[in-house]
Amino acid sequence: MQPTWSYSDNSNTLVNSCSPQLGDLFEYGACVYPNKVAIADHRNNFSFSEIHELVHRYSVLLKNKFDIEAGQTVLVLTTKDCLVPVIAIALWRLGAVYAPVDSNSPVDRLLGIANNLHAKLIIDFSNNADMSAAGVAHLQFDSMLGQSKDYVKLKPLPSYSHKNDDVAYVIHTSGSTGVPKGVQISSQSLKQYFYAHNQVLQFNEQSRVFSLSPFHFDVSIEDTILPLSVGAFVYQYNRLHQGQIIRKTLIKQDVTHLIAVSTILTMMSEQHDAINRESFPNLKMVMTGAEVCAPNVINLWKKALPDTRVINAYGPTEVTIVSTCYTVERVEEHRESAYPIGKPLDGVAVLILDEKDQDVSLGTAGELCLGGAQVMQGYLNRAEENDRCLFTRNGIRFYRSGDICFMNSDGNIEFVGRNDSEVKLNGRRIHLGEIQQQCLSINGVARVAVGLINQDGKSRIGAVIVSDNNKIIDKVEKHLVTVLPVYMIPMVWGLSSSVSLSSSGKTNDAALLAKLSESQKIKNRKLHLLQEEAICE
C-alpha cells in the first residue's frame, strides 16, 4: 500500500498510514523496496534496507552507550552527507530531539548553541570542530559505523510514540541580537506539515527528488526526509553551487522534483536555452522560495516546461518549513512584481493585521500572521520573544511573521517586504523590500541587496545588483524613477557578477552591502565590486 499522510481514524493526530511513528519513517521503503537506492550523492548510495538497518544500529548504540532518552537533545554538527537523515530518524526512534547545526560555524557559536540546548551528546560529521569546552559527550560520526557493529545483533528498539507536543527538532535561525534563536518544532507540527505539503509536492515511490538544502536548514526535511518516507529516491547535491554543474546533475539523475531557493534557481537559469523539455523530460515540479524570486526566472521555467508545475512557496522556520504555495498556471510576461506566495496549506490559518492588531481590508498591506498546528512550540529559552511573536485568537495559536503582505482579489497572498526592513530616512518611512522588488522586475537582474550604508557620516540607501550586464544599473535606475518617489531611489550602487551565499544557500545581503560600504572610500556613486566566485559563508 502506498503511504499517505492523513488523519488517523482514532485520534486527532496526523500519521503516515505505513509509518505511524517518526522513528519508522524509512519502514515503508525498507519493506516494499528494500533493494531500491533510497539516497545518493556523487560518492555514495544507500538502499532502503541499508538505511533502515543503520537506523537500528545507530539507535541501539545511542541508547546503550550514551544513554540517550526521550526528550533529551542531541546536537548534530552537519555536513551535506547522505547519512545525516539516518541520524535524525535514529534519534526520533528514541524520542530524542534532533538539533542540526552547520559544522562550519565558529566554535564559540557552536558552544553557545550546545549550552542553550543543554545537549546530552554532540555528533560531529565534520571531525574538525573543537567542542571539548562544551563539557558533554562528543561522538565523531566516522567512528559510529564501527562502534554500531557491536550492537547489530541486539533486538531493534521499538519506536518511541511521540505525543503531540513532544519536540521533534530544533532549528537555529539568526537573531536580531546576534544570538541564534532555537525554533522548537513538535511532532504534531511536523506530521501536520508532512500531510499538508505533500498534497502540493505530490511525492510518491516514483519520484526522484533533488536535494540542495544543507541539513541545518529546515528545507532539508522537505526535500529529503519527507520524500524518503513515501519511498521516493533523493539525490543529495553536495558539490559546487554553479548553475551548469547543477543542471548537468539534474539531467544525469533524471530528477522529477526540484526544490531550489531563489538564489540557486537563478544561478541555474543563466543559460536560458539550457532549460528545455529535451534536457528535463521527466521534471514534474519546480519549487522555489525562501527569498523573493524575480518573475523572469519563474517565467523562464514555466515557458520552457509548460507541463511542469512551477510553484512559488513561502514559510518561516517558525511555522514548519512551508506555509503557503502559489502554483503558476500561466506565464505573465509583463509582470513586474514578484509572483504571489499563494494560499495557505491545509490546516494553516492566516491573518493580516495592522499596527493595532486589527484585520486589514482586501488589498491593504499588513503583517502576515500564521496559525494552526504547524506553529512552533516557541523559541528555546526565549520567553519574552515568545510573548512578543506568539498569540492566540479564537483558540488558534498564531505566529507574527514580521512579513508585510496583502491579500489580492483572487485570495492569494502577495509579499511586500519585511517590517524590520522598514527604515526611517530624513523623517520618511521606507520599505526596502519595495525597492528590492522593483529592481528584481528588470530583466537581467539576478539578485539585489538593498540597505542603508554610511557615506561621509550620512545614511543613504545603497543597492548591489548581481548581473553580468555592465549597463544594468542605468536600466534599473530609469525604471525606479517611474515607479518610486525620489527619496526611495538608491543613492549608491554596486554591481557584482557573482553572489555571496549564506550557509543556507540564500543571498548573503549583508556581505554584499558590506562590500559596497567598504568600497565607499572610492568616491564613486556607481561601483563595480570585485568579481569573485560564489562563496558560502
Side-chain angles (χ1 to χ4, degrees), residues 18-39:
C18 294
S19 304
Q21 306 301 337
L22 294 180
D24 291 329
L25 288 180
F26 298 159
E27 192 85 23
Y28 173 73
C31 290
V32 181
Y33 304 104
N35 299 320
K36 173 184 172 180
V37 175
I39 191 167

Side-chain angles (χ1 to χ4, degrees), residues 32-318:
V32 181
Y33 304 104
N35 299 320
K36 173 184 172 180
V37 175
I39 191 167
D41 60 21
H42 72 286
R43 296 185 299 263
N44 302 302
N45 65 79
F46 298 91
S47 69
F48 274 105
S49 62
E50 287 173 326
I51 61 173
H52 186 257
E53 171 66 18
L54 286 171
V55 167
H56 155 55
R57 288 168 56 176
Y58 291 156
S59 60
V60 173
L61 167 68
L62 293 170
K63 177 65 176 177
N64 284 270
K65 184 169 183 178
F66 296 95
D67 196 28
I68 300 300
E69 297 180 351
Q72 295 178 330
T73 301
V74 174
L75 177 61
V76 183
L77 307 185
T78 66
T79 58
K80 191 68 169 166
D81 189 291
C82 284
L83 294 181
V84 174
V86 175
I87 296 297
I89 304 304
L91 291 172
W92 288 340
R93 177 162 287 195
L94 300 174
V97 179
Y98 166 58
V101 177
D102 182 6
S103 63
N104 292 318
S105 299
V107 171
D108 285 348
R109 181 182 176 91
L110 294 176
L111 291 172
I113 290 173
N115 182 63
N116 189 50
L117 290 167
H118 299 294
K120 175 71 180 292
L121 172 69
I122 298 171
I123 299 176
D124 187 356
F125 274 76
S126 67
N127 300 329
N128 58 17
D130 181 9
M131 296 293 290
S132 56
V136 299
H138 188 190
L139 175 62
Q140 299 286 358
F141 177 74
D142 285 349
S143 71
M144 283 190 72
L145 188 63
Q147 291 189 47
S148 68
K149 289 179 181 178
D150 297 336
Y151 301 94
V152 69
K153 294 182 179 180
L154 294 184
K155 183 179 179 181
L157 297 170
S159 280
Y160 175 79
S161 181
H162 285 83
K163 303 177 184 66
N164 283 347
D165 58 356
D166 285 336
V167 176
Y169 67 85
V170 177
I171 293 284
H172 283 81
T173 64
S174 297
S176 57
T177 62
V179 178
K181 296 183 292 188
V183 178
Q184 302 176 96
I185 299 297
S186 71
S187 165
Q188 182 187 30
S189 294
L190 183 56
K191 291 178 180 180
Q192 169 68 34
Y193 163 76
F194 280 174
Y195 156 73
H197 200 194
N198 207 37
Q199 294 181 62
V200 178
L201 295 166
Q202 298 176 18
F203 291 147
N204 59 35
E205 304 102 314
Q206 285 75 47
S207 299
R208 297 181 63 83
V209 182
F210 198 68
S211 171
L212 285 151
S213 304
F215 282 107
H216 62 276
F217 189 31
D218 60 353
V219 175
S220 63
I221 293 174
E222 171 189 4
D223 68 17
T224 299
I225 294 179
L226 174 52
L228 288 174
S229 77
V230 296
F233 165 77
V234 177
Y235 185 83
Q236 294 290 322
Y237 183 84
N238 51 14
R239 306 181 73 182
L240 180 67
H241 280 163
Q242 202 277 336
Q244 184 178 10
I245 299 174
I246 297 175
R247 289 196 307 271
K248 286 183 177 179
T249 309
L250 279 171
I251 294 169
K252 182 178 180 181
Q253 296 299 324
D254 192 23
V255 168
T256 62
H257 290 72
L258 166 64
I259 299 172
V261 298
S262 301
T263 298
I264 295 179
L265 188 66
T266 302
M267 283 183 185
M268 296 168 59
S269 308
E270 80 278 349
Q271 188 178 336
H272 292 192
D273 59 1
I275 312 302
N276 56 67
R277 183 54 76 190
E278 183 177 351
S279 297
F280 306 109
N282 295 311
L283 189 59
K284 300 181 185 304
M285 187 207 78
V286 174
M287 177 174 285
T288 191
E291 303 171 282
V292 176
C293 188
N296 62 292
V297 173
I298 288 177
N299 286 345
L300 170 65
W301 287 83
K302 187 61 180 176
K303 188 184 298 183
L305 306 169
D307 297 330
T308 295
R309 294 183 303 124
V310 178
I311 300 168
N312 192 33
Y314 162 89
T317 299
E318 290 85 347

